[in-house]
Amino acid sequence: MCGITGYIGDSQAAPILIGALKKLEYRGYDSAGIAVLNEDGFTIRKTKGQLSVLEKKLENETISGSLGIGHTRWATHGEPSDINSHPHTDVSGRITVVHNGIIENYLSLKEWLQARDVVFISDTDTEVIAHLINYHIQEEAREKHGLLRAVQKVLARLEGSYALAIAATDYPDRIIAVRKDSPLVIGIGRGENIIASDIPALLSHTRDVIYMEDGEIAVIYRDHVEMLNAAGDRVIRPVFHVDWDAEAAEKGGYTHFMLKEIHDQAAALSDTLRPRLKDNEIVFEEPGIDESFEGAERIVITACGTAWHAAIVGKYVFEQLARIPVEVDIASEYRYRNPVQGRNDVFIVISQSGETADTLAAMRLAKKNGNRILAVTNVVGSTLAREADMKLYTRAGPEIAVASTKAFTTQLMCLYLLALKLGRRRGFIGDEDYKEYIQALSRIPSQAEKLLAKQDLIQRFASQQFNKAKVFFMGRQVDYAIGLESALKLKEISYTHSEAFAAGELKHGPIALVDKNTLVVTVATQKRLFDKIISNIREISSRGGASLVITWEGETVFAPVAGEVFAIPRTEDCFSPILSIIPAQLFAYYCSILRGNNPDKPRNLAKSVTVE
Ligand code: M6R
């Protein structure tokens, strides 16, 4: 996720672009840049680091020009660096582009351009767009609509998701904006127009906006906007008046970043999955991943907190799908014991931030002992990504709320892809099963969306239960792992005492704590263990505990024994965690609100634990 903006009007563009980028910084903050056009061509200033670094750079400089585009980046292709920062230009420097999204076929386009002697200077997918426009604009003889036609030809060649703002020295009266699967809005001003990835960036200029639809292109002039639909036909789109308050708008209308990020999950899962599926086959664009398990005899996974819970799910999944032994350890434990490591172990490290001190220390220990390191991380260019031998990126976009949500589900998605690929290579998954698994994964983003539409049910349940003194989560197998993650979510933001246990352990101790002030949430998606789970739930109810069961849609066996049942869409049993965690995230969120807390900033906690 990145933030893009563009301005055309009578005012100086640079301060307006910086102001807009400030409002978009939540979408990405590892680098930022602007390009402003005047009679001498483009002035481009871009730099690695937060927007404040760019601002500092511009402090003693006046950049004149009343047309410009800007970008705040969350790296996906190419690590954060000055060169990889946007805007990107073509070889002539006459065309500049900013981009939010992923160009899935950029490698083949890059090779095509390189075969025509185009020299690339960045590692980004975006740079291909600038060069391709330059290539196709040569065919247009600088006609009135030459830039538009060149852009249309380029779009026909792009696969993936993108919101683009494009400017060209030969067309100084316009910005071209394009939207496909990435958001873009146009703010309509008086004698000026401004585009941005999100409404907050527009609000200090105008509250009249056009929401671009997928596939649309807008040609933005200072005093009017021309719009074309995906078929290339001119369309007139309605102008909406936005009356949101500015602060709410920064969270996309959600009251908290955490709720926004819970809702981001459908898109984040799709962004993590889609670029890795080609013709029903899992293909990792990241170098070395395919070979990383060659000759592996064991997998060791370490992480902290939520990422550790993803690792536990990973253990079940790798063992089931790829029949390989897996050991999971908390990074802070691993680093201080004397682990027995095999030379043929593959060491997977999971971390949203890629900067967690214990996780880095565990990785370094494994590296020193000669293991191959595969990092699953959300932050391109993080320490973990730089030091690992191979990296697989979650494409969750920036996660602002301290409680991790979309990072977790995208970590699971990465682990599923790895386990499926490995299971296939090791001969444990046949053609038909493989196809079915891939189809099931492809349905997950829309199933997550469907599930999120039922958030009111969880909100109502939370309003009845938020004052419970103790909340326990139980489950078996992957459901136990989800219990652990659910309990962590609830305790960190609602400050409720909550624990998770493997349901089979109930009688070995935890049941002593169950009374009428206890809520027990059971995650039940493993059908072959339903009978045992039903007995566990009965044991809870007979001691006065309230009970909620999270299970599959259409499953009727729990209604007679549980107080409440919350249904999730059906998928393969081993993929259930990616969906069953969503109601638990919502439950924690609403309990936090109802208890008067700020779920985005829980007491005593930091987003990234970079010290021991
Ligand atoms: O950035 P990391 O994934 O390495 O962070 C690990 C934990 O600190 C993190 O998951 C933490 O437990 C979250 N606050 C949980 O919501």
Side-chain angles (χ1 to χ4, degrees), residues 258 303-309 349-357 359-360 376-379 384 399 401-405 407-408 411 485 488-489 492-493 602 605-610:
M258 182 180 175
C304 298
T306 287
W308 173 59
H309 299 148
V349 197
I350 308 174
S351 171
Q352 185 285 130
S353 61
E355 302 294 348
T356 300
T359 308
L360 292 176
V376 176
T377 182
N378 196 34
V379 182
L384 184 62
E399 196 178 60
V402 167
S404 190
T405 52
F408 177 70
Q411 284 160 359
E485 171 59 8
L488 175 64
K489 284 289 88 79
E492 72 179 327
I493 58 169
L605 294 176
K607 180 68 187 159
S608 189
V609 185
T610 55

Side-chain angles (χ1 to χ4, degrees), residues 88-105:
H88 289 284
T89 58
D90 70 311
V91 274
S92 71
R94 300 163 83 90
I95 291 155
T96 62
V97 178
V98 288
H99 167 215
N100 167 34
I102 297 169
I103 305 302
E104 288 165 11
N105 60 336

